Amino acid sequence: KGRVAVVTAARGGRAELRVEDTGSGIPEAVRARLFEAFSSDKPGGTGLGLATVKRLVDEMKGEISVESGPSGTAVKVLFPA
């Protein structure tokens, strides 16, 4: 019923990767812990996915951010070009 889009672009000397969905969004309490290892609100979730992504992005001197609301979520990663 929803959609997921992956968008790439060159922005100001950096490469941008953006993943967006049209889901119901991430509750604010969960957003505060998104990048913490072993923190998950999903049954059976390990809480390692975004924690691992954040660690890798940091090692590559990049930036990661999340925007979420009732009409969806977007995760944006900026890498040095």
Side-chain angles (χ1 to χ4, degrees):
K1 295 180 183 179
R3 76 174 177 88
V4 174
V6 178
V7 180
T8 59
R11 302 229 187 266
R14 302 196 303 180
E16 178 181 323
L17 169 66
R18 189 172 177 98
V19 180
E20 306 170 337
D21 71 28
T22 57
S24 58
I26 302 170
E28 189 173 333
V30 175
R31 275 184 287 196
R33 302 182 330 265
L34 273 181
F35 299 115
E36 292 178 18
F38 307 110
S39 177
S40 177
D41 69 329
K42 295 181 182 178
T46 63
L48 292 175
L50 284 176
T52 301
V53 170
K54 171 94 168 90
R55 183 177 52 83
L56 293 170
V57 169
D58 287 347
E59 287 179 10
M60 290 184 270
K61 307 288 190 247
E63 298 174 29
I64 187 168
S65 61
V66 176
E67 298 171 7
S68 188
S71 60
T73 299
V75 177
K76 180 170 71 171
V77 181
L78 293 170
F79 296 101

